[in-house]
Amino acid sequence: RHRMADTGLVETLLQRVEKVDGGLDSQDVATSLGVDHQAIVGAVKSLQALGDVISAEQRSSKHWELTGEGCEIAEQGSHEARVVSSIPEEGMPQSQLMKLAFGKVGFSKAMSNKWIRLDKGHEGGPRIFKTVERLEDLVRDKLLLVQKGQASELEEKEKNELKKRKLLSEVTVKSYWITKGSCFSTTITKQETELTTEMIASGSWKEKKFKPYNFEAMGVALDCGHLHPLMKVRTQFRQIFLEMGFTEMPTNNFIESSFWNFDSLFQPQQHPARDQHDTFFLSDPAQAHEFPQDYLERVRKVHSEGGFGSQGYKYDWKIEEAQKNILRTHTTAVSARMLYKLAQQEKFTPVKYFSIDRVFRNETLDATHLAEFHQIEGVVADFGLTLGDLMGILHQFFNKLGITKLRFKPAYNPYTEPSMEVFSYHEGLKKWVEVGNSGMFRPEMLLPMGLPEGVTVIAWGLSLERPTMIKYGINNIRELVGHKVNLQMVYDSPVCRLDS
Ligand SMILES: *[C@@H]1O[C@H](CO)[C@@H](O)[C@H](O)[C@H]1NC(C)=O
């Protein structure tokens, strides 16, 4: 929208328009008021925005103007005239004349005008003498005419000649021809830009003048959304899983019962991970009540008495522990639900599942640990899968991330046997660093679900935060997640591309 011009100038302009019959040229107004033409244009535009106060028709005209050199000549005389006036009666060496600023051009013009003569045979080098006492400096006279605004008194040919000498230039001037409009008035009433609730309530809108909408105006550029680096890296991991033929699991429940989070995974009820030092318990609703009863019974049995070739943990399994609602400590709880569902199918079909979602642990917060983070998990179930299949699929997965050197280290997890920590060689740090955890789900977990004998399930997991921090060079996790995040970091983080 056009900025409102100086009101004083707007009113002066209106007074001028009122006084004339016909109209006014905006350039003439600018000259007579001694203000910049742009200021008058501004006043015209803001009057136009008020409706039909004035009518302004754009026109363009050409006129002649002196160039910088033209102005100098108008003031001090043409180069040739200055040459003549600088030569004394006894003449001047040509070399000396040439040293003067106007010497070269002035010399040749003065020669062709026959105002000077050159004596080449003079001892001490060529010497110049003037041949006239008084001269008519026509070039200067013409320029002075143009300067006075009387360029029309010169012939076209003369003007073009001066233009060729770069003393004159023809400029196009855009101006407005201003006349009174149908609502002409010398006082301006401010137009309302918005219809307010008060105006409607008081009825004052009836007396107000409203500014018409400008549908041609450009809208304000929107600041569009930016994805958080975690979401960008998540997209890449999701892409890798999809390329490998995996299906995403539904992870849309942060709250889980201890049953699905721990018991179904054959994690004993005394396990320290089930303590409030490690897990967040819900106070309302504190308990879950809906479980598949026969499956729950098989889980109780395998914990307390054993079965399926296992001696179990030999303790008094309590439903009250399994009922406790918690913030899920891993997305493996979702994998357990999915594998149970798979076991309920009439005929088993092999599956490849993945999930990337948030989990919660009662951690002591520091630069690399938060009480919530994202877990990436891959699960494959089929007849006869071995540790070799797990190693193979881990190589394939990490290769797609650009990680080629892998090592596996035996480890302990409550619900996998065997279990392996996954290490990769870090070229920058020149050492092996842990990149994930993996294993084969225990039969004590799979068989009570109802999966057929001979079906084995391999799984691996890693956090989303760690690769993201490495990718975006973030050293403190609190700069990535939480109230200390600088939004500029989110805006500035580029698209995530894995160097595979
Ligand atoms: C988290 O653990 C600490 C001890 O490590 C404990 O004092 C605190 O109550 C726990 N928080 C919750 C919400 O359970």
Side-chain angles (χ1 to χ4, degrees), residues 275-281 361-364:
D275 195 280
Q276 66 164 2
H277 298 299
D278 285 298
T279 300
F280 293 119
F281 289 85
R361 310 235 176 123
N362 186 3
E363 298 263 10
T364 308

Side-chain angles (χ1 to χ4, degrees), residues 29-41:
V29 179
T31 316
S32 76
L33 288 178
V35 298
D36 192 63
H37 183 239
Q38 273 312 311
I40 303 293
V41 172

